[in-house]
Amino acid sequence: MNMYVSNLDFQVKEEDLRQLFAQFGEVTSVKVIKDRETGRSRGFGFVEMSSDEAANNAITSLNNKELSGRAISVSQAKEREDRPRRSLW
């Protein structure tokens, strides 16, 4: 199951999220989304776990918990909608 994690402190790294979620089961991937131009975290990311049970336990346990001084939000990720590309003109 893929989870959406938001309200992250800009200093939180992918390894920080991996360690946090690993308490609940096998983490298969972690991605903190970064700004293309600055390379700085955008304050959200995605964590994927191998089992739905582990992911649901992580959601229940970690949603609204404090990480680096901020209450993070954890929920099941929704499928990305196909959006038309923005024109530069």
Side-chain angles (χ1 to χ4, degrees):
M1 176 189 292
N2 197 17
M3 294 168 285
Y4 173 70
V5 184
S6 61
N7 201 35
L8 295 174
D9 182 270
F10 296 120
Q11 307 305 316
V12 171
K13 306 287 184 229
E14 290 177 356
E15 187 55 35
D16 299 329
L17 288 180
R18 182 176 299 280
Q19 289 177 4
L20 181 66
F21 281 81
Q23 301 171 63
F24 301 96
E26 182 186 357
V27 175
T28 55
S29 70
V30 178
K31 181 74 177 164
V32 172
I33 306 303
K34 296 186 166 117
D35 183 272
R36 280 184 213 159
E37 294 178 19
T38 65
R40 183 177 159 200
S41 168
R42 293 186 58 200
F44 69 94
F46 297 91
V47 176
E48 190 168 1
M49 298 187 79
S50 60
S51 84
D52 288 352
E53 181 181 349
N56 285 324
N57 286 338
I59 291 170
T60 301
S61 298
L62 297 175
N63 190 43
N64 291 318
K65 294 296 181 198
E66 193 171 298
L67 175 64
S68 297
R70 299 181 80 165
I72 62 172
S73 177
V74 183
S75 62
Q76 184 173 349
K78 295 176 177 54
E79 287 294 319
R80 184 174 179 171
E81 296 177 10
D82 286 334
R83 295 181 294 175
R85 286 205 167 271
R86 291 189 291 175
S87 172
L88 297 175
W89 309 108

